[in-house]
């Protein structure tokens, strides 16, 4: 795919025929590749890590990128009850600190700044691509770059950042 941000019609999120196991596995690999790009799995040696301006945390089906004043969460919701869809990827930009399981509760609740919903494109010819609700298409690398740009934009919009 040469242009990761092509626009197309997003009127029908369902596939006309049920996706095959091969197609479901390809989409899951695409989700895993995106999450690996945004928040790579890390070793258990926490003492070796240098402090980073953005902390990346993995969850079983997503990730959290937490900056000083904002965060970005990516969550994959695989569709198991509907044979004509594969699932939905939710990307959310937050102002503040996002609460994670097992972590201390932040002083203030985080507030949603922007949400982006994406679905896998039906039977792509080059690689699995994601279609946003506004029709914009992303390949995995383009979506990862877009997510990081949204987080950077949120960080630069903060008055004390």
């Amino acid at each position: 795919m040469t242009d990761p941000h092509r626009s197309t019609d997003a009127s029908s999120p369902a596939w006309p025929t049920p996706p095959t196991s091969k197609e479901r596995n390809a989409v899951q690999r695409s989700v895993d590749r995106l999450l690996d790009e945004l928040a790579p799995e890390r070793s258990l040696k926490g003492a070796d890590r240098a402090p980073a301006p953005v902390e990346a945390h993995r969850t079983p089906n997503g990730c959290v990128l937490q900056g000083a004043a904002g965060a970005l969460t990516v969550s994959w919701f695989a569709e198991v009850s509907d044979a004509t869809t594969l699932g939905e990827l939710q990307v959310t930009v937050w102002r503040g600190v996002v609460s994670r399981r097992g972590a201390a509760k932040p002083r203030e609740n985080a507030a949603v700044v922007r949400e982006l919903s994406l679905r896998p494109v039906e039977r792509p010819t080059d690689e699995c691509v994601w279609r946003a609700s506004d029709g914009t298409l992303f390949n995995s690398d383009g979506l990862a770059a877009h997510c990081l740009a949204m987080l950077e934009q949120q960080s630069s919009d903060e008055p004390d950042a």
Side-chain angles (χ1 to χ4, degrees):
M1 185 167 156
T2 56
D3 181 9
H5 301 285
R6 295 181 301 187
S7 183
T8 187
D9 178 33
S11 59
S12 176
W15 293 27
T17 59
T20 65
S21 293
K22 185 176 180 179
E23 290 164 333
R24 288 184 184 280
N25 290 337
V27 169
Q28 186 61 53
R29 283 191 303 276
S30 185
V31 170
D32 293 341
R33 187 171 49 246
L34 174 66
L35 297 176
D36 286 342
E37 179 71 27
L38 293 173
E41 294 283 352
R42 56 184 182 212
S43 67
L44 296 176
K45 295 181 183 178
D48 295 342
R49 288 190 317 228
V54 175
E55 289 186 35
H57 304 280
R58 283 295 282 267
T59 65
N61 58 351
C63 67
V64 177
L65 303 178
Q66 181 65 62
L72 180 125
T73 57
V74 177
S75 301
W76 170 242
F77 300 97
E79 185 61 62
V80 293
S81 63
D82 185 355
T84 61
T85 61
L86 287 170
E88 184 174 44
L89 194 65
Q90 289 285 324
V91 179
T92 307
V93 179
W94 303 83
R95 180 178 50 252
V97 177
V98 173
S99 177
R100 294 178 299 112
R101 269 185 246 152
K105 184 169 171 52
R107 290 180 299 192
E108 295 181 26
N109 290 334
V112 174
V113 174
R114 183 174 179 196
E115 292 181 297
L116 181 65
S117 297
L118 303 114
R119 291 193 177 269
V121 171
E122 175 196 343
R123 295 171 180 78
T125 56
D126 45 8
E127 69 176 78
C128 186
V129 293
W130 299 98
R131 179 177 290 126
S133 53
D134 68 358
T136 304
L137 291 179
F138 297 94
N139 63 19
S140 293
D141 293 336
L143 181 55
H146 185 68
C147 288
L148 294 172
M150 288 191 303
L151 180 59
E152 178 66 30
Q153 177 66 41
Q154 172 57 30
S155 296
S156 67
D157 285 349
E158 289 298 315
D160 57 342

